[in-house]
Amino acid sequence: EVQLVESGGGLVQPGGSLRLSCAASGFTFSNYCMNWVRQAPGKELEWISYISPSSSPIYYADSVKGRFTISRDNAKNSLSLQMNNLRAEDTAVYYCAGDLARSPRWFFDLWGRGTLVTVSS
Amino acid sequence: EVVLTQSPGTLSLSPGERATLSCRASQSINSNYLAWYQQRPGQAPRLLIYGVSSRANGIPDRFSGSGSGTDFTLTISRLEPEDFAVYTCQNYGSSPLTFGGGTKVEIK
């Protein structure tokens, strides 16, 4: 079955760090572009980061640039998001989203169910 | 930034009825790069439509997309029980990528 499964969410204090993971299965992960998209409570979906199949280039939304780092391990079919200096406004469900093409098309064919990150003291 | 406004916020319909959902952009979307997604509670979002009117793999033909420029529509010709969900449009024609606020289709 083609799927993405996120993990690593939880409660963290402001200024803290958290690392999210996304396990891919059922497709050739190393061939495709991957992204993280988040949705804060009651808000629209927000794209936050992109990584190419080869890990270069990488892009970030301005809201997370300098604080979040996306990476991938093609040998392990895994995508990660290291989140540092977390703020209350980072509270959201974080989705792993696949753009199943070798070059970005910027829409997302495959999504995980998401993992909830709550930033609160 | 392209702001996407979806209407109505909630659509109350019965199974078998036709649903018409609107997505209006604050400026013209380049090359008609607009997509639609379905979100059911607790489930992964699902790509329905890309390029305004192209159905994604495995999407039934009761789902159709139309429009151009700043006004776009998702139509569900006959609602099935599994279609009651939230539908979200996405601009991917310009940076930053943006999403609409969603339309909830609920059972009347």
Side-chain angles (χ1 to χ4, degrees):
Chain A
E1 181 186 3
V2 176
Q3 65 175 355
L4 299 170
V5 179
E6 303 92 340
S7 60
L11 175 63
V12 61
Q13 293 188 338
S17 297
L18 209 57
R19 187 177 183 86
L20 305 183
S21 296
C22 171
S25 58
F27 65 101
T28 308
F29 177 76
S30 59
N31 284 353
Y32 300 125
C33 308
M34 297 298 297
N35 298 263
W36 287 98
V37 179
R38 70 183 180 184
Q39 187 166 32
K43 300 284 191 179
E44 299 85 6
L45 290 161
E46 178 191 14
W47 169 85
I48 57 171
S49 188
Y50 160 89
I51 187 167
S52 75
S54 66
S55 296
S56 178
I58 284 173
Y59 303 118
Y60 297 99
D62 289 344
S63 57
V64 306
K65 199 174 295 182
R67 300 187 299 123
F68 290 12
T69 302
I70 191 172
S71 61
R72 66 191 294 162
D73 184 335
N74 287 339
K76 295 182 178 179
N77 293 334
S78 177
L79 177 73
S80 296
L81 185 69
Q82 176 66 41
M83 305 186 295
N84 297 331
N85 191 20
L86 283 160
R87 307 165 180 166
E89 54 265 35
D90 295 318
T91 294
V93 175
Y94 284 73
Y95 296 99
C96 173
D99 176 355
L100 301 187
R102 295 174 186 266
S103 297
R105 298 167 302 164
W106 300 112
F107 60 88
F108 311 117
D109 309 79
L110 183 64
W111 298 66
R113 294 191 178 200
T115 187
L116 175 62
V117 173
T118 303
V119 184
S120 175
S121 54
Chain B
E1 171 176 323
V2 176
V3 177
L4 298 176
T5 302
Q6 292 189 240
S7 63
T10 302
L11 197 52
S12 298
L13 295 167
S14 301
E17 288 194 295
R18 181 185 188 89
T20 304
L21 288 66
S22 172
C23 176
R24 178 161 291 176
S26 60
Q27 57 190 275
S28 186
I29 292 182
N30 295 334
S31 304
N32 287 330
Y33 284 163
L34 185 106
W36 290 91
Y37 300 89
Q38 178 191 66
Q39 288 183 274
R40 298 189 191 117
Q43 294 193 20
R46 177 190 183 196
L47 175 68
L48 299 174
I49 300 284
Y50 62 93
V52 174
S53 60
S54 297
R55 274 188 298 277
N57 289 341
I59 301 303
D61 61 7
R62 65 179 180 273
F63 290 92
S64 63
S66 62
S68 64
T70 61
D71 290 301
F72 302 90
T73 300
L74 175 70
T75 302
I76 310 170
S77 59
R78 295 173 312 279
L79 284 164
E80 297 288 339
E82 62 268 26
D83 298 338
F84 291 92
V86 175
Y87 293 85
T88 302
C89 55
Q90 179 213 344
N91 149 61
Y92 59 100
S94 60
S95 179
L97 306 180
T98 52
F99 294 85
T103 290
K104 181 180 181 181
V105 179
E106 66 175 21
I107 299 176
K108 186 174 181 180

